[in-house]
Amino acid sequence: MGNGKFAIVTGASTGIGFELAHIAAKEGYDLIVVADEPLINNAAEDLKAHGTNVISIEADLATIEGNDKLLEAAQGRPIDILLANAGRGLGKAFIDQDVADWRRVIDTNVLGTTYLLQKVAQQMVARNAGKILITGSIAGLMPGSYQAVYNATKAYLDSFSYALREELRDTDITVTVLMPGPTETEFFKRADMMDTKVGVSEKEDPAATARHGWDALQSGAAHVVSGFKNKLQAAISHVTPDSVLAKMHTGMAEPGSAAKVPESKRVD
Ligand SMILES: NC(=O)c1ccc[n+]([C@@H]2O[C@H](COP(=O)([O-])OP(=O)(O)OC[C@H]3O[C@@H](n4cnc5c(N)ncnc54)[C@H](OP(=O)(O)O)[C@@H]3O)[C@@H](O)[C@H]2O)c1
């Protein structure tokens, strides 16, 4: 690794994280990119085309050990930017979900992310420099019927981001939460949601979502909701009772709801 700017991107093998890593590489950041599967090594090869140093790490960020493996790979190098993006969803009714599956959602999105944020924020505070982008979601603004655990983890991250930002107000460190809406990535397949309305409907471009997140990070904004439709959805969520939001979410995420989307409008 060189002596230039340095960023860590979690969940960089596909989707929003992959696009965030591309922007960081183009901007000249040396990178550590992390995901759980070997595909992260292919992503790293792509990213090297931007002429920057890229190290790929296979680590399960649902565990403390996986996050420690990532931190060890950084070898104490000052982290200019942390893009804490790794996360996973899980569809279906809560009572039908396996414990191991919903636990993995909580361990990845909440436990692992919180641990990593603390370790990196401590380092950043010690030298009073650094920027953090957390990938939350507009899902955190609404009760997620048929995706209940996932939305709750994103409510945690959306909230946590604001709290950490406030605690660091007297430092030069900024904390920004990127709040995407439905985005065209591997997310819905991995969450077993391809029989839902949201799973088969048109979604945001992950490159555009990543760009919105990056620009918000650079400007030190508290949050950014990505895309006009999602901004509207976020605004509606602030003035709508939770019981109504929960009902609306059923319409998008209930298994079988994909059938309500006309063939001409399906993107699966
Ligand atoms: N797509 C959407 O509609 C949407 C909307 C709002 C927010 N988000 C959030 O955006 C973030 C990125 O998701 P995406 O949409 O880009 O989906 P994605 O294409 O499935 O990417 C998820 C990334 O996270 C990694 N990851 C998941 N669990 C991990 C673990 N335990 N350890 C290490 N890496 C792990 C995945 O790698 P492996 O496959 O190797 O595990 C992958 O690189 C997530 O936090 C998600 O909640 C997505």
Side-chain angles (χ1 to χ4, degrees), residues 13-14 16 36-37 60-61 85 88 150 154 183 185 190:
S13 58
T14 58
I16 299 166
D36 195 24
E37 304 282 337
D60 182 0
L61 298 176
N85 166 81
R88 57 180 61 241
Y150 173 74
K154 290 291 161 172
T183 308
T185 69
R190 288 175 175 167

Side-chain angles (χ1 to χ4, degrees), residues 204-223:
E204 296 281 327
D205 170 14
T209 302
R211 172 51 65 187
H212 294 142
W214 182 266
D215 290 348
L217 170 85
Q218 290 302 332
S219 69
H223 86 278

Side-chain angles (χ1 to χ4, degrees), residues 10-20 34-40 57-63 66-67 84-89 104 107-109 113 134-140 147 150 153-154 157 178-191 198 203-204 206 209 230:
T10 72
S13 58
T14 58
I16 299 166
F18 182 66
E19 300 295 344
L20 282 168
V34 200
D36 195 24
E37 304 282 337
L39 188 63
I40 192 63
I57 304 288
E58 282 174 54
D60 182 0
L61 298 176
T63 66
N67 284 283
N85 166 81
R88 57 180 61 241
R104 189 154 181 79
D107 286 352
T108 302
N109 301 4
T113 305
I134 301 171
T135 307
S137 175
I138 63 165
Q147 208 183 3
Y150 173 74
T153 66
K154 290 291 161 172
L157 287 176
L178 166 61
M179 299 166 76
T183 308
E184 199 57 67
T185 69
E186 299 300 310
F187 177 90
F188 292 95
K189 282 191 197 89
R190 288 175 175 167
V198 63
K203 301 183 217 8
E204 296 281 327
T209 302
N230 298 320

Side-chain angles (χ1 to χ4, degrees), residues 25 39 68 70 87 109 153 159 163 194 197 214 216 253 255 264 266-267:
L39 188 63
D68 281 339
L70 160 61
N109 301 4
T153 66
S159 163
M194 293 313 289
K197 185 176 173 192
W214 182 266
S264 59
R266 291 172 72 119
V267 292

